[in-house]
């Protein structure tokens, strides 16, 4: 065998021996992260965010991190338990609403008060900033990955136009959170609260006359078939409310990752992810509104001047919330003031 032939044979053997190790790195996951949430697997949050985000992380780690998705509470439990599921390791990452456990995450819940939303992108960045400044101790045992909101809620009713507070009197409405529920009660509505997953039954059997939700939720639960009028604030007004969301990871799982894998998680989370989620929810909102229009439902505008009056009527709700923040050892006025400052910034 010539020296040239020997070198070629050795190179070929080396490449053959190296191939399995390369394939193992590229295709076999070193870490599997279980991701749990409450929406159906067909919801845009799953198909257009979680599936895409998981692939981005898999690609960035050469397949070392794989995410397994468990929509519709497939890991068991109910939506209010999602944060604890991540803390306890039942799931590794969960997407949850602070308002489902009222007063437990008060800084994160602040942006869910009435009229604390412009659009989802801007409000999500404001929320993340607020959490960085005031809410660092709120998620012990968890690694927050992003905070965001949806776009402002609208009244979806089975047949009632809402133009003034007078129109709300006696209406049985599913309230999206406790603060918005109190505002609606101040205006004469009768409110109930239960997770969005139970709302279809409430509308179907007449327990409620309507609900207060963004358009983006409509397609997943076919609410356009259960309601006939959507009442939305005039453009340029603050939205009725926006629930807040937290994307959180089990802290032990995060700390147990290698430095390079942890960096990938860091690079795919934080305020940029919050902004991205907000922007996507603005897109989901536009799509949901289109579904309502296609159904032939009426879209009714609530005048901006009326929204301004409602904000004044909600003053007791803000005052009560500031008191709750104070009771939690926080500066309630500073937190609410800062939230409004961030929303009003250009």
């Amino acid at each position: 065998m010539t020296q040239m032939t020997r070198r070629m044979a050795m190179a070929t053997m080396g490449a053959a021996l190296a191939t399995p190790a390369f394939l193992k790195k590229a295709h076999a996951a070193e870490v599997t992260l279980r991701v749990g949430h409450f929406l159906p697997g067909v919801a845009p949050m799953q198909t257009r965010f979680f599936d895409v985000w998981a692939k981005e992380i898999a690609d960035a780690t050469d397949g070392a991190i794989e995410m397994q998705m468990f929509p519709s509470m497939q890991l068991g439990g109910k939506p209010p338990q999602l944060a604890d599921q991540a803390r306890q390791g039942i799931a590794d990452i969960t997407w949850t609403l602070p308002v489902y456990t009222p007063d437990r995450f008060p800084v994160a819940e602040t942006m869910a008060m009435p009229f604390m939303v412009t659009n989802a992108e801007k409000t999500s960045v404001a929320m993340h900033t607020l959490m960085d400044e005031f809410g660092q101790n709120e998620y012990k045992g968890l690694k927050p990955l992003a905070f965001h909101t949806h776009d402002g809620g609208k009244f979806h009713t089975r047949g009632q136009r809402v133009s003034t507070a007078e129109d709300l009197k006696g209406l049985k409405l599913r309230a999206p959170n406790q603060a918005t529920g109190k505002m609606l009660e101040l205006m004469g509505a009768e409110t109930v609260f239960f997770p969005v997953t139970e709302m279809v039954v409430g509308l179907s059997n007449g327990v409620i006359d309507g609900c207060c939700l963004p358009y983006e939720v409509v397609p997943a639960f076919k609410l356009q078939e259960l309601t006939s009028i959507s009442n939305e604030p005039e453009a340029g007004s603050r939205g009725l409310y926006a629930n807040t969301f937290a994307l959180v990871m089990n802290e032990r799982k995060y700390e147990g990752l290698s430095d390079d894998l942890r960096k990938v998680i860091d690079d795919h989370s934080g305020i940029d992810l919050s902004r991205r989620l907000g922007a996507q929810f603005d897109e989901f909102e536009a799509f949901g509104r289109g579904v309502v229009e296609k159904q032939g439902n009426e879209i009714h505008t609530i005048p901006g001047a009326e929204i301004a009056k409602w904000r004044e009527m909600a003053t007791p709700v803000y005052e009560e919330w500031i008191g709750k923040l104070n009771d939690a050892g926080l500066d309630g006025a500073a937190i609410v003031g800062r939230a409004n400052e961030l929303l009003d910034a250009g």
Side-chain angles (χ1 to χ4, degrees):
M1 181 180 292
T2 66
Q3 187 174 6
M4 177 74 72
T5 304
R6 187 179 297 110
R7 282 202 300 268
M8 290 174 64
M10 292 293 288
T12 301
M13 183 181 299
L17 291 172
T19 298
F22 170 78
L23 288 174
K24 181 178 179 181
K25 179 181 178 185
H27 298 293
E30 298 173 21
V31 177
T32 299
L33 300 177
R34 293 159 299 170
V35 181
H37 65 84
F38 60 94
L39 287 180
V42 297
M45 184 63 182
Q46 177 66 56
T47 60
R48 294 179 57 189
F49 173 69
F50 276 122
D51 290 346
V52 175
W53 185 61
K55 184 178 186 305
E56 289 169 354
I57 289 176
D59 289 347
T61 61
D62 290 329
I65 292 180
E66 176 187 14
M67 292 189 179
Q68 291 182 349
M69 299 296 164
F70 296 89
S72 299
M73 301 303 298
Q74 290 175 2
L75 291 173
K78 294 185 179 297
Q81 298 171 315
L82 280 164
D84 286 330
Q85 286 185 348
R87 182 179 283 106
Q88 295 162 4
I90 296 170
D92 300 304
I93 295 173
T94 59
W95 179 62
T96 179
L97 282 80
V99 299
Y100 280 178
T101 50
D103 303 336
R104 185 175 172 187
F105 306 105
V107 180
E109 203 175 341
T110 294
M111 300 299 289
M113 288 196 303
F115 310 111
M116 296 290 281
V117 54
T118 53
N119 60 37
E121 180 177 359
K122 182 174 181 178
T123 308
S124 296
V125 172
M127 181 187 176
H128 195 110
T129 302
L130 198 72
M131 293 302 295
D132 281 348
E133 294 176 2
F134 295 98
Q136 288 295 302
N137 297 321
E138 211 158 77
Y139 283 87
K140 292 179 180 178
L142 294 167
K143 166 68 176 175
L145 302 179
F147 296 102
H148 73 97
T149 74
H150 55 63
D151 193 26
K154 287 82 182 174
F155 293 124
H156 306 279
T157 62
R158 294 194 299 169
Q160 177 67 48
R161 286 193 195 90
V162 177
S163 296
T164 67
E166 190 71 22
D167 296 329
L168 290 167
K169 288 185 177 178
L171 273 188
K172 292 175 292 192
L173 296 173
R174 181 263 184 187
N177 58 52
Q178 63 173 353
T180 305
K182 288 174 181 175
M183 176 196 75
L184 294 174
E185 288 167 6
L186 286 172
M187 294 190 288
E190 298 177 19
T191 63
V192 295
F193 176 74
F194 39 71
V196 67
T197 48
E198 299 174 23
M199 186 176 49
V200 171
V201 174
L203 284 168
S204 298
N205 62 21
V207 169
I208 54 175
D209 298 312
C211 51
C212 189
L213 285 170
Y215 286 119
E216 54 93 3
V217 178
V218 168
F221 296 98
K222 298 185 178 179
L223 299 182
Q224 75 276 12
E225 298 176 7
L226 298 171
T227 60
S228 60
I229 300 177
S230 292
N231 304 270
E232 61 179 31
E234 185 177 352
S237 305
R238 289 266 189 104
L240 298 176
Y241 84 99
N243 268 337
T244 56
F245 297 84
L247 184 65
V248 294
M249 183 174 182
N250 178 279
E251 190 172 54
R252 294 186 303 277
K253 191 76 172 185
Y254 171 79
E255 294 295 344
L257 297 175
S258 61
D259 290 347
D260 57 335
L261 295 186
R262 202 160 53 240
K263 183 178 185 304
V264 171
I265 295 294
D266 291 343
D267 290 345
H268 290 78
S269 61
I271 196 166
D272 287 340
L273 185 60
S274 296
R275 185 191 308 277
R276 170 179 167 180
L277 279 162
Q280 286 196 278
F281 268 76
D282 284 328
E283 294 174 7
F284 301 162
E285 189 73 0
F287 176 79
R289 192 178 194 276
V291 168
V292 170
E293 290 177 321
K294 186 176 180 180
Q295 181 72 17
N297 291 0
E298 178 183 351
I299 294 180
H300 176 69
T301 299
I302 306 169
E306 186 67 18
I307 296 296
K309 292 178 185 176
W310 292 3
R311 288 183 66 180
E312 287 296 320
M313 293 175 70
T315 297
V317 178
Y318 305 136
E319 292 174 344
E320 181 179 350
W321 190 253
I322 287 171
K324 284 186 177 184
L325 291 169
N326 291 341
D327 291 343
L330 300 161
D331 187 337
I335 291 171
V336 173
R338 178 61 171 149
N340 277 302
E341 181 182 83
L342 289 165
L343 291 172
D344 289 338

